[in-house]
Amino acid sequence: MKIYNTLTRQKEEFVPLKDNKVTMYSCGPTVYNYAHIGNLRTYVFMDLLRRTLKYNGYELLNAMNITDVGHLVSDEDEGEDKMVKGAREQQKTPWEIAEYYTDVFMKDIAALNIEKPEIIPKATEHIKEMIEFVQSLLEKGFAYETSDGIYFDISKYEEYGKLSKINLDEQMAGARVEVNTEKRHPADFALWKKAPKEHIMQWESPWGMGYPGWHIECSAMSMKYLGEEFDIHTGGVDHIPVHHENEIAQSEALLGKPAVKFWVHAEFMMVDNGKMSKSLGNTYTISDLREKGYNPLAFRYMCLNAHYRNKLNFTWDVMQSSQVSFERFIEGALQHKMGKAEISKDVLDGFLSDFEGCINDDLNIPKALGIAWNLVRYPEKSYSIYEMLLKMDTVFGLGIKDAEQKSAEEPELDSEIEALIQQREQARKEKNWKLSDEIRDRLRDMGIEIQDTPQGVKWKNIRGN
Ligand code: AMP
Ligand code: ZN
């Protein structure tokens, strides 16, 4: 399996550090607001990488953090903490908004068939580990204290900039006027911030009350859960120049050796060929898609159709055509289920090896999807094609199997519900309130809520599926 490593700017053969176990860290969401479709594209990518690794027989240990403190409005250590700002604007505590948006995020990724990473640590639950990390950096001389915090001294770490290949002198010449005059270099970054009294989120530390920098959380948590060295680190391309560069600096300064073998980054999602932004009103969410009648999995299908290292341009027209293609794909796959044609093993093996060649060539999922489409469109209908599509879908995650179960179960469920409703109506006519209530409870256990309206009895699915 080949994966493009941002560190070397090359596709490299992937070999895990240890046996067939893969350790992977994915920068997770900052939970101050709903995740937008751009964020979610990056997690679809994380999921495709996860599934491809598993398809290849690797055992996966993937940690994805929840950033619930420390991510400032600007990546350059300026402005307010996003959590504190979000909380102020929504008139809640940062902990309340973290809980709420984490919950929505978990539901969003489930709706996109994104598998839950094995470990999902929260930054606020790892303050101790972060403080210890910062202390070690101070002891080793890689950090210094100022009146407002502890900063990493990039001049002490010679390889600073190796991920983004930035030239620090050039960067300095073009830099804005530095606000923080105590910093030794404009690119020195906060490991720990001292908090003024009124700051809501703060913890005790050897440097007084304060809160951690954003970058340190990923270094501290990845080390805790995956060890000093791990295989893969993922994130969006926007993280390359600051967040990941800083993670590398911190971890390598502490360990004296590289922590991560493969840095893998997903390109951005654009909307109407431009940036997504709140002011343009185009930071769409999963519920925006649902409101317009789109299946979140049709959005997943859209993501599958673009290589993760290419920009993906979202438009409502593309969303519409993705929904149509997604539905045709699923229907086409299901049509093979009853097929009786015998397809030769050679033909089938040919499809499978082409598919494997694609996914293992730096996750060429669009091409792999094309191969699956050739199977869907195969002129003869065959159960063995259906089985092969199910196997491929362990990577695509489009839910062929679930779609089939749904279409098989629903009519039955509906007729059972209708029958129970009729029995209840009969019981009510006979004034048998006990039986009528029992039937209502039974329906509720099935996730169905009954409403007696002037137009008759109505029911709705309260489990939301
Ligand atoms: P955040 O919640 O801001 O930390 O971002 C979560 C993830 O979404 C990060 O991995 C970002 O790199 C990624 N991301 C942010 N904006 C976009 C976008 N427009 N397209 C793709 N990924 C994005
Ligand atoms: Zn991170």
Side-chain angles (χ1 to χ4, degrees):
M1 177 177 178
K2 281 199 161 68
I3 310 179
Y4 184 88
N5 192 345
T6 308
L7 201 55
T8 58
R9 301 286 194 273
Q10 284 182 45
K11 281 188 206 172
E12 290 174 31
E13 191 61 38
F14 176 72
V15 184
L17 286 158
K18 206 170 151 222
D19 309 324
N20 79 330
K21 294 192 175 63
V22 178
T23 39
M24 170 163 143
Y25 187 86
S26 305
C27 284
T30 309
V31 283
Y32 67 109
N33 212 327
Y34 298 105
H36 59 60
I37 51 174
N39 302 136
L40 293 167
R41 181 205 186 182
T42 292
Y43 298 108
V44 169
F45 150 72
M46 169 194 84
D47 185 58
L48 291 169
L49 180 54
R50 285 179 53 90
R51 287 168 177 269
T52 303
L53 289 160
K54 282 164 80 171
Y55 184 96
N56 282 291
Y58 294 121
E59 204 181 296
L60 197 60
L61 183 63
N62 179 200
M64 177 189 72
N65 63 298
I66 298 288
T67 297
D68 51 1
V69 64
H71 192 172
L72 303 190
V73 174
S74 141
D75 280 358
E76 274 86 32
D77 295 330
E78 285 163 33
E80 223 176 335
D81 186 311
K82 286 186 181 182
M83 294 300 300
V84 172
K85 182 166 181 278
R88 185 169 43 73
E89 287 169 356
Q90 298 170 46
Q91 299 185 338
K92 299 253 167 60
T93 69
W95 288 272
E96 279 166 346
I97 66 162
E99 192 183 344
Y100 175 75
Y101 290 111
T102 303
D103 189 44
V104 178
F105 179 77
M106 297 319 289
K107 287 190 177 128
D108 283 350
I109 65 170
L112 290 169
N113 276 355
I114 294 171
E115 291 179 345
K116 243 169 131 176
E118 287 67 25
I119 311 168
I120 307 183
K122 288 182 188 166
T124 48
E125 289 171 3
H126 296 81
I127 304 292
K128 184 176 137 281
E129 286 82 352
M130 296 182 216
I131 290 174
E132 283 166 9
F133 205 119
V134 177
Q135 264 179 317
S136 305
L137 288 175
L138 274 168
E139 279 159 23
K140 287 180 188 261
F142 286 103
Y144 58 92
E145 185 168 356
T146 71
S147 59
D148 80 336
I150 311 294
Y151 286 81
F152 187 90
D153 186 345
I154 63 156
S155 69
K156 299 277 164 59
Y157 173 67
E158 274 179 13
E159 289 184 283
Y160 192 84
K162 71 177 174 182
L163 185 67
S164 48
K165 322 268 184 241
I166 45 172
N167 177 328
L168 279 177
D169 296 336
E170 275 173 28
Q171 201 198 32
M172 246 173 111
R176 289 169 291 159
V177 179
E178 188 55 43
V179 185
N180 186 341
T181 48
E182 287 180 74
K183 264 163 63 165
R184 294 180 189 164
H185 187 287
D188 286 355
F189 55 92
L191 297 164
W192 184 264
K193 282 264 198 176
K194 297 178 185 173
K197 262 206 184 68
E198 65 279 10
H199 197 270
I200 309 176
M201 301 183 98
Q202 49 178 296
W203 290 263
E204 254 174 54
S205 80
W207 320 287
M209 296 301 285
Y211 58 97
W214 170 39
H215 320 297
I216 197 73
E217 74 176 61
C218 290
S219 287
M221 293 192 281
S222 59
M223 192 177 296
K224 170 163 182 177
Y225 292 104
L226 306 176
E228 289 185 351
E229 263 188 296
F230 56 97
D231 292 299
I232 303 174
H233 195 310
T234 72
V237 286
D238 57 326
H239 285 346
I240 299 172
V242 180
H243 184 50
H244 290 167
E245 203 69 83
N246 294 351
E247 269 191 53
I248 291 178
Q250 296 162 157
S251 298
E252 297 198 1
L254 186 85
L255 300 170
K257 63 181 180 194
V260 179
K261 261 181 93 182
F262 278 78
W263 284 92
V264 194
H265 293 97
E267 246 302 344
F268 254 37
M269 169 164 267
M270 316 298 282
V271 173
D272 298 326
N273 278 314
K275 238 186 115 161
M276 251 183 249
S277 86
K278 284 254 162 56
S279 56
L280 294 171
N282 63 6
T283 50
Y284 305 123
T285 62
I286 286 292
S287 61
D288 292 330
L289 301 186
R290 279 204 177 106
E291 259 168 42
K292 288 187 187 270
Y294 294 111
N295 183 338
L297 290 179
F299 174 74
R300 182 179 173 104
Y301 181 93
M302 180 195 293
C303 295
L304 263 53
N305 245 328
H307 191 264
Y308 77 91
R309 282 196 290 121
N310 290 334
K311 287 200 171 67
L312 169 54
N313 186 33
F314 178 93
T315 65
W316 289 108
D317 284 347
V318 177
M319 187 63 245
Q320 175 60 26
S321 58
S322 299
Q323 173 116 331
V324 171
S325 306
F326 165 69
E327 283 170 1
R328 284 195 190 138
F329 182 82
I330 300 288
E331 280 161 25
L334 293 182
Q335 275 171 14
H336 282 282
K337 193 166 180 210
M338 297 303 156
K340 298 273 183 284
E342 296 280 335
I343 313 284
S344 84
K345 192 172 175 307
D346 281 357
V347 171
L348 289 170
D349 286 351
F351 277 107
L352 195 62
S353 77
D354 286 351
F355 167 83
E356 289 172 358
C358 292
I359 60 168
N360 288 336
D361 178 17
D362 189 29
L363 255 59
N364 197 338
I365 305 293
K367 208 167 164 199
L369 194 59
I371 290 162
W373 262 112
N374 291 341
L375 271 174
V376 167
R377 290 202 202 95
Y378 201 78
E380 295 163 87
K381 301 290 166 229
S382 158
Y383 186 75
S384 48
I385 288 184
Y386 169 73
E387 279 187 317
M388 184 157 289
L389 285 166
L390 283 186
K391 186 172 164 96
M392 292 178 177
D393 200 37
T394 60
V395 173
F396 299 138
L398 293 172
I400 298 176
K401 189 108 196 159
D402 301 339
E404 176 217 348
Q405 273 160 2
K406 256 203 185 130
S407 62
E409 275 168 18
E410 262 170 13
E412 248 176 63
L413 186 66
D414 283 5
S415 56
E416 196 182 339
I417 292 162
E418 293 298 349
L420 282 168
I421 289 173
Q422 274 180 20
Q423 281 172 29
R424 180 170 166 272
E425 284 298 277
Q426 188 59 33
R428 278 161 61 88
K429 263 193 210 139
E430 292 164 9
K431 301 205 180 341
N432 187 346
W433 309 120
K434 189 169 168 277
L435 179 63
S436 139
D437 287 347
E438 272 171 21
I439 296 175
R440 178 192 283 264
D441 292 345
R442 198 166 144 207
L443 283 161
R444 186 166 291 139
D445 290 342
M446 291 164 73
I448 302 299
E449 190 165 286
I450 297 287
Q451 284 166 327
D452 297 306
T453 73
Q455 289 79 34
V457 184
K458 295 216 162 112
W459 61 271
K460 70 172 186 205
N461 188 338
I462 49 178
R463 289 207 187 116
N465 46 21

Coordinates of all heavy atoms in Angstrom, one line a residue, residues 25 27 65 214 218 233 243-244 247, ligand 2:
Y25 N -3.0 9.0 14.4 CA -3.6 10.1 15.2 C -4.3 11.0 14.2 O -3.7 11.4 13.1 CB -2.5 10.9 15.9 CG -3.1 11.9 16.9 CD1 -3.5 11.6 18.1 CD2 -3.3 13.2 16.4 CE1 -4.1 12.5 19.0 CE2 -3.8 14.2 17.3 CZ -4.2 13.8 18.5 OH -4.8 14.8 19.4
C27 N -6.3 14.7 13.8 CA -6.7 16.0 14.5 C -8.2 16.1 14.5 O -8.8 16.0 13.4 CB -6.1 17.2 13.9 SG -4.4 17.4 14.3
N65 N -8.7 13.4 18.7 CA -9.0 14.2 19.8 C -10.2 15.1 19.7 O -10.6 15.4 18.5 CB -7.8 15.2 20.1 CG -7.6 16.1 18.9 OD1 -7.3 15.7 17.8 ND2 -7.7 17.4 19.2
W214 N -2.9 25.1 21.8 CA -3.7 24.1 21.0 C -2.7 23.0 20.6 O -3.1 21.8 20.6 CB -4.3 24.9 19.9 CG -4.9 24.0 18.8 CD1 -5.6 22.9 19.0 CD2 -4.9 24.2 17.4 NE1 -6.1 22.4 17.8 CE2 -5.6 23.2 16.8 CE3 -4.3 25.2 16.6 CZ2 -5.8 23.1 15.4 CZ3 -4.5 25.2 15.2 CH2 -5.2 24.1 14.6
C218 N -2.3 18.0 21.0 CA -2.2 16.8 20.1 C -0.9 16.0 20.3 O -0.8 14.8 20.3 CB -2.2 17.3 18.6 SG -3.9 17.8 18.2
H233 N -0.2 10.4 10.9 CA -0.9 11.5 11.5 C -1.7 12.2 10.4 O -1.2 12.5 9.3 CB 0.1 12.5 12.1 CG -0.5 13.5 13.0 ND1 -1.6 14.3 12.7 CD2 -0.1 13.9 14.2 CE1 -1.8 15.1 13.7 NE2 -1.0 14.9 14.6
H243 N 0.0 24.3 12.8 CA -0.3 23.3 13.8 C 0.6 22.1 13.7 O 1.2 21.7 14.7 CB -1.8 22.9 13.6 CG -2.3 22.0 14.7 ND1 -2.1 22.2 16.0 CD2 -3.0 20.8 14.6 CE1 -2.7 21.2 16.7 NE2 -3.2 20.3 15.9
H244 N 0.7 21.5 12.6 CA 1.5 20.3 12.5 C 3.0 20.6 12.6 O 3.8 19.8 13.1 CB 1.2 19.5 11.3 CG -0.2 18.9 11.4 ND1 -0.9 18.3 10.4 CD2 -1.0 18.8 12.5 CE1 -2.1 17.9 10.8 NE2 -2.2 18.1 12.1
E247 N 3.6 20.8 16.2 CA 3.5 19.5 16.8 C 4.9 18.8 16.6 O 5.4 18.2 17.6 CB 2.4 18.6 16.2 CG 1.1 18.7 16.9 CD 0.1 17.7 16.3 OE1 0.5 16.5 16.3 OE2 -0.9 18.0 15.9
Ligands
ZN2 ZN -4.0 18.5 16.1

